[in-house]
Amino acid sequence: SCEYVVSCSSNIVCIFKMEPNVKVISIDENKIWVKVVFQKRMGTLTKLIEALTELGLEFNNTNLTTSKGAAVINSCLEVINIHCIYNYH
């Protein structure tokens, strides 16, 4: 789990725990929709994009929202290199 601190008021500091969360829905045989919620930290988004690109997936129609230490990515991923996916297994 991830912990981050958010100032709730001038005298109180709240500590929240956030588990990374991934939801995947199949759109068709070459596309999936993903929603990823994770702790906002430098380099995390870059690592995610690099890993999925290495698997032969491409981000389309992507939305990134951040708030109070959390990041949410909604995106359609399309298979651009089917050989990468089959070779991964």
Side-chain angles (χ1 to χ4, degrees):
S1 70
C2 303
E3 291 186 15
Y4 58 98
V5 178
V6 177
S7 178
C8 297
S9 73
S10 59
N11 299 327
I12 300 172
V13 175
C14 300
I15 298 177
F16 295 91
K17 288 190 175 187
M18 182 181 67
E19 293 289 331
N21 186 303
V22 178
K23 293 184 182 181
V24 180
I25 298 174
S26 177
I27 297 173
D28 65 31
E29 64 183 34
N30 291 324
K31 291 182 184 179
I32 58 173
W33 173 83
V34 295
K35 177 180 182 180
V36 183
V37 180
F38 58 95
Q39 182 180 8
K40 183 176 72 172
R41 293 184 1 178
M42 186 179 289
T44 304
L45 178 60
T46 303
K47 288 177 186 176
L48 176 64
I49 292 171
E50 288 172 349
L52 292 172
T53 301
E54 187 174 321
L55 289 174
L57 299 168
E58 177 179 74
F59 282 82
N60 292 314
N61 302 320
T62 302
N63 180 5
L64 171 66
T65 305
T66 62
S67 178
K68 298 181 181 179
V72 179
I73 298 173
N74 287 290
S75 185
C76 174
L77 296 175
E78 185 171 359
V79 176
I80 56 170
N81 190 344
I82 196 74
H83 300 293
C84 290
I85 292 174
Y86 286 125
N87 290 335
Y88 182 73
H89 297 285

